[in-house]
Amino acid sequence: MFIMNSLNIKRKAAILALLCEGNSIASTCRITGTAKNTVIRLLLEVGEACDAYQDRTLRNLNCQRVQCDEIWSFVGSKEKNTTKAAKKKGNGDAWTWTAIDADSKLIVSWLVGGRDAGYAHDFMQDVAARLATRVQLTVDGHRPYLQAVADAFGNNIDFAQLIKVYGQPHDSTDRRRYSPAECSGTIVGKVVGSPDFDHISTSYVERQNLTMRMSMRRFTRLTNAFSKKLANHEAAVALHFMYYNFCRQHKTLRVTPAMQAGISDYIWSMEDVLNMVETMDRGVVTK
């Protein structure tokens, strides 16, 4: 049921746009003059619909090169500070697995959960189910990918791991504590099939990780912004990818990733997203 009847569509669209542009729940409430519970309910409802719509729409994709990675965040508290009871509720470290089409920049699949072999298996099974043709796949050096890719694709894939080698920072003082280590080189790991070595890269998916951290306040490091509940976190991720895939014009492509991939023929507005939610709520199948 679409319960946000107390807000007109323009105000709903403004709330969602603010959330997709890196604003926190609290700042969105202050800017729009909307109650916190109302914003959260809208996020949950729209996020659920965005997840369902993309799950149905992102199928039979004609990708040629796919890159995968995982990005860290947490729900409620960081893993080391999370009790066993809280973990059962979904609190602790939350990894978002992402797969991006290197050509259209479309997010093909994502999964929020742990970083173990079980989640790697589920994620790669979902990626494989969405692809129409044999692809070249590049992932990082995370070991669970090896068996997960083998189980999902068998030998019907051109697969390589790109393992980055990091050196120690030249300046080890406290002011360098949060600076990333310098990448001193890369190693091409396990290879299946015949991948084109010129396109063994994770650059696009790593850039998408940066976009996620800038576009979702709850992903921003070293702040007090984080998800209080797993459902809120998953809804925010689904809304982000809906906005990224269908609404946000890619600066290089000049169109949205969904348009580049042939899934959509126009740039969606937030009003279009809200209309999609209402249509799904009425049980009407939208394309």
Side-chain angles (χ1 to χ4, degrees):
M1 179 179 179
F2 196 69
I3 61 175
M4 297 295 106
N5 295 325
S6 59
L7 303 176
N8 63 48
I9 191 168
K10 289 189 179 298
R11 192 170 176 186
K12 296 173 193 174
I15 291 170
L16 296 177
L18 287 168
L19 294 176
C20 290
E21 291 294 348
N23 284 269
S24 66
I25 295 287
S27 66
T28 299
C29 293
R30 290 192 295 269
I31 293 169
T32 62
T34 308
K36 180 179 179 180
N37 287 341
T38 301
V39 172
I40 292 175
R41 288 200 300 270
L42 179 63
L43 170 64
L44 288 170
E45 187 169 26
V46 175
E48 181 181 0
C50 289
D51 183 66
Y53 180 82
Q54 291 180 97
D55 180 55
R56 186 179 69 248
T57 305
L58 303 181
R59 298 283 178 179
N60 200 33
L61 302 174
N62 292 309
C63 305
Q64 295 183 342
R65 296 181 291 133
V66 174
Q67 301 175 9
C68 297
D69 198 10
E70 327 84 53
I71 179 173
W72 173 84
S73 56
F74 68 94
V75 174
S77 58
K78 295 180 181 179
E79 193 74 18
K80 64 179 181 179
N81 300 322
T82 306
T83 64
K84 290 184 178 179
K87 287 182 180 180
K88 292 180 180 179
K89 298 179 180 178
N91 287 17
D93 289 354
W95 290 86
T96 303
W97 303 69
T98 57
I100 191 171
D101 176 9
D103 297 305
S104 69
K105 309 303 183 293
L106 182 79
I107 296 298
V108 173
S109 174
W110 71 89
L111 175 66
V112 177
R115 200 171 179 244
D116 58 25
Y119 281 99
H121 176 272
D122 292 345
F123 175 61
M124 294 314 306
Q125 290 288 333
D126 188 68
V127 172
R130 298 181 186 280
L131 301 174
T133 59
R134 182 185 181 112
V135 301
Q136 174 165 328
L137 176 68
T138 307
V139 301
D140 60 19
H142 191 39
R143 290 185 62 83
Y145 277 120
L146 295 175
Q147 188 60 51
V149 172
D151 291 342
F153 293 94
N155 293 323
N156 188 32
I157 192 169
D158 300 313
F159 168 56
Q161 281 189 302
L162 188 67
I163 304 169
K164 293 187 176 181
V165 179
Y166 293 95
Q168 294 295 324
H170 298 299
D171 184 354
S172 59
T173 60
D174 286 345
R175 67 186 178 86
R176 291 276 306 183
R177 183 170 42 173
Y178 299 120
S179 298
E182 182 179 349
C183 180
S184 58
T186 58
I187 301 172
V188 177
K190 177 72 173 181
V191 176
V192 175
S194 303
D196 182 346
F197 275 67
D198 290 337
H199 293 294
I200 295 177
S201 172
T202 55
S203 296
Y204 292 123
V205 71
E206 289 171 1
R207 180 59 181 83
Q208 168 56 212
N209 287 349
L210 175 60
T211 300
M212 292 175 68
R213 292 212 182 277
M214 294 190 300
S215 301
M216 286 182 282
R217 184 64 172 157
R218 62 193 69 230
F219 274 76
T220 307
R221 293 178 180 271
L222 304 176
T223 71
N224 62 354
F226 60 91
S227 296
K228 309 304 187 292
K229 296 181 179 180
L230 180 59
N232 298 352
H233 192 80
E234 292 175 330
V237 171
L239 174 61
H240 165 75
F241 286 131
M242 187 76 194
Y243 180 70
Y244 172 84
N245 279 338
F246 289 87
C247 304
R248 179 174 171 175
Q249 184 177 4
H250 194 281
K251 288 185 178 180
T252 302
L253 300 174
R254 303 293 184 182
V255 293
T256 65
M259 293 173 67
Q260 186 70 16
I263 297 172
S264 176
D265 56 6
Y266 66 98
I267 299 175
W268 285 43
S269 66
M270 273 302 176
E271 285 84 354
D272 291 324
V273 174
L274 288 163
N275 288 332
M276 176 271 294
V277 176
E278 289 190 283
T279 302
M280 291 185 68
D281 182 57
R282 294 195 300 268
V284 179
V285 177
T286 58
K287 188 173 181 179

